[in-house]
């Protein structure tokens, strides 16, 4: 029997597509968080990501973006904590049953969508300024650190960000986040097809229900997609401009 592939969409946008009109799509909690970012770049990434998430869900659910709601689920909290909602966004209302993941880094915003199966996307800007060896201590398992150390210096930064994106995509798909540590999951080395090798966090799925693949995020970025399903995954990559730009065009003319 040939198993039907699970379809998954990955939408790409840029923080430069931010526009005041997008804020109208956000809910009160999102607008409040947007207003607390100090740096314009963070505000723009957040606005584009959250507006796009609603537009993508609305299109998939066949409803208006204002009808889409999210519940934020943190597996480490029981809701009695005195802090604002946080964690994996779970679509609700007419979009219930759809699965979503959001990532933003540098000039990239990504939103991944799947139906009925958990999905996680992660994009990382490759920064030559960051201390990769120091970060590797926190992010990589011992065998991964050894594989990284064996690479020529000019390949090690890119390889590190490949590892990082792959591992975060997995921990975002499960909703675990990095709370239990990124070293609790290990993946194949960059240069080999992405695959999870071990996953030792409490909410980890069986390894035969994990699909992991790289995404092309352009030069200077590394990105990965994780889908928690035993089925093969068919990814459709989409440009968010047709969803975002009609809203921006509705702005009143300046003056
Ligand atoms: C979520 C996390 C993996 C994001 O990594 P990142 O590379 O810094 O940022 P990204 O842009 O790729 O992803 C951010 C998005 O992940 C999503 N997210 C947050 N927590 C998540 C979780 N547990 N599972 C899946 N997705 C999550 C949100 O949509 C978030 O978007 P927003 O910041 O615009 O609201 C990481 O920061 C994390 O795990 N944080 C939570 C740590 C934690 O558990 N703290 C204790 C809570 S009690
Ligand atoms: Zn929490």
């Amino acid at each position: 029997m040939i198993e039907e592939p699970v379809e998954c969409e990955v939408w790409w946008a840029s923080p430069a597509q931010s526009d005041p009109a997008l804020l109208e799509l956000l809910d009160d909690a999102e607008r409040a968080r947007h207003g607390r970012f100090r740096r314009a770049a963070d505000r723009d990434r957040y606005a584009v990501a959250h507006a796009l998430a609603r537009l993508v869900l609305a299109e998939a659910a066949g409803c208006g973006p204002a009808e889409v709601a999210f519940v934020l689920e943190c597996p480490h909290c029981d809701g009695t904590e005195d802090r604002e909602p946080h964690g994996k966004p779970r679509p609700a209302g007419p979009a219930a049953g759809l699965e979503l993941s959001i990532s933003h880094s540098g000039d990239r915003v990504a939103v991944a969508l799947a139906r009925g199966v958990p999905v996680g996307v992660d994009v990382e800007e490759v920064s030559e300024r960051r201390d990769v060896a120091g970060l590797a201590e926190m992010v990589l398992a011992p065998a991964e650190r050894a594989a990284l150390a064996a690479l020529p210096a000019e390949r090690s930064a890119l390889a590190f960000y490949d590892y990082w994106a792959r591992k975060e995509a997995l921990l975002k798909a499960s909703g675990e986040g990095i709370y239990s540590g990124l070293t609790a999951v290990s993946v194949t080395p960059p240069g080999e097809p992405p695959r999870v090798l071990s996953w030792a966090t409490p909410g980890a799925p069986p390894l035969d229900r994990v699909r992991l693949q790289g995404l092309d995020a352009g030069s200077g970025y590394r990105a990965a997609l994780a889908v928690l399903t035993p089925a093969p995954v068919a990814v459709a990559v989409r440009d968010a401009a047709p969803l975002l730009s009609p809203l921006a065009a509705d702005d009143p003319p300046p003056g």
Side-chain angles (χ1 to χ4, degrees), residues 33 46 50 77 87 102-104 122 124 168 172 175 177-179:
R33 184 150 168 236
Y46 185 87
H50 287 252
C77 289
I102 292 174
S103 186
H104 31 63
D122 194 62
E124 299 289 339
E168 281 216 7
K172 287 166 85 172
I178 58 173
Y179 182 80

Side-chain angles (χ1 to χ4, degrees), residues 3 14 17 72 84 166 204:
E3 205 161 0
S14 155
Q17 290 165 302
L72 299 182
E84 65 176 3
R166 290 174 183 189

Side-chain angles (χ1 to χ4, degrees), residues 23 26 34 70 85 88 90 100 123 135-136 142 144-145 154 158 163 165 173-174 182 184 199 208 231 255:
L23 295 182
L26 308 193
H34 175 265
F70 303 128
K88 183 180 170 77
R90 185 162 59 80
L100 175 82
V123 56
L135 282 172
E144 295 170 334
R145 283 207 289 276
E154 69 276 11
L158 277 184
Y163 267 129
S174 73
L182 281 153
W199 192 342
D208 61 357

Side-chain angles (χ1 to χ4, degrees), residues 73-79 81 83-84 86-87 179:
E73 287 184 334
C74 174
H76 314 291
C77 289
D78 64 10
E81 296 79 7
R83 52 175 298 182
E84 65 176 3
H86 57 280
Y179 182 80

Side-chain angles (χ1 to χ4, degrees), residues 101-117:
S101 183
I102 292 174
S103 186
H104 31 63
S105 181
D107 285 333
R108 299 289 187 274
V109 171
V111 168
L113 175 86
R115 286 168 185 76
V117 290

